[in-house]
Structures are given as structure tokens and as C-alpha cells.
Amino acid sequence: MRSKLEKIKLEAALKEVTSAVRRCEKILPKFAEGTSQHSLLKNRIKALRIAEFLIERKQYEKPDSMNEREAAFRGFMQTITSNPICEELEKPLAPIRSIQYKCQAGQKKHEVSTRIYQQLQKQIDAMILAEDLILNECSDMKSTPSVKEEHRME
């Protein structure tokens, strides 16, 4: 059973990531398609959506539904990409780490007791959790045979 503290951390992270997705989607139309800003923002949105999905799944997962969970995630990944899943999972790490770095840089400009500093810390915590979930997912996928491999083994 999930601890109360872990539930609170997951809820807070999901709130931060969902908010970041909304903010990014809101400003995306302001950049012309094909510009570096537009591409970076699209990559950030994609990374945040993957993080959002993984956090939600972690929040609501049941220990006995690992096969359903993996199938749902693989289906989700196939809807957004045609590349191998683990390779696609490593791509969002750069935008996630970039958000962490920018928030840490922003914190240096503010006192620890300020509201802005605390808000940036929430974003950093959410991105650290997202990064951990992405890395764990990729590690799990590398150690678990794919559906095609399972059929060949039988």
C-alpha cells in the first residue's frame, strides 16, 4: 500500500506537470512553426505528457495489474511515436532536465523564504520525480521481454 507521503508527492507532482503542459500549450501558437522555439516547446510538451502519464499511472497502479499497466503504457507510446519505446523514453529526459536546470537557476535569484523560490522548488521536485519514473520505465522495459519476444520464447 502506498504511503500517505508518497500519495501527496505524486498528487503535487501531477499538479505541477499538468500546469506546465497547459502553460506550454497556451504559448505554443505564439511561435511560428519551424522555429527553434516552436520545436523546443513541442518537445517539452511531449516530454511533460509522458511524465504526466507515468505519474498518473504510478498514482493509480495496483500491484497485481503489471501486465495491464505495461500494455497500456506501450499503447500510449505507440500513439505518439513509431520508434522503439525505450529510445523514445530517453528523449524526454533532455526537456525534463532543462526545466530542472532553469528552475534551479531561477531559485538563485530569490531568497529561500519567498513564494517564487517555493514554487520553483515544487517544479524541481516534480521534474525529479518525472525523471526517475522515465528512467525506471526504460530500465523495466530493457529487462522485460517485449510481447513479440514472449511469443518467440513459447
Side-chain angles (χ1 to χ4, degrees), residues 130-143:
E131 181 180 9
D132 288 346
L133 290 174
I134 290 168
L135 291 171
N136 288 342
E137 190 66 36
C138 194
S139 175
D140 289 350
M141 287 185 167
K142 285 180 179 175
S143 65

Side-chain angles (χ1 to χ4, degrees), residues 53-105:
F53 178 84
L54 290 172
I55 293 168
E56 283 180 341
R57 192 182 66 190
K58 179 81 172 171
Q59 192 173 19
Y60 299 111
E61 84 179 3
K62 298 175 190 138
D64 59 345
S65 64
M66 295 304 261
N67 290 335
E68 290 175 28
R69 177 182 73 115
E70 186 174 333
F73 183 71
R74 288 175 188 249
F76 169 76
M77 289 302 293
Q78 287 171 351
T79 64
I80 63 171
T81 181
S82 59
N83 293 340
I85 294 171
C86 197
E87 183 182 310
E88 269 311 298
L89 271 175
E90 291 170 351
K91 287 182 182 178
L93 290 175
I96 296 292
R97 288 175 178 154
S98 172
I99 294 168
Q100 284 178 36
Y101 175 78
K102 288 175 182 178
C103 289
Q104 289 167 341

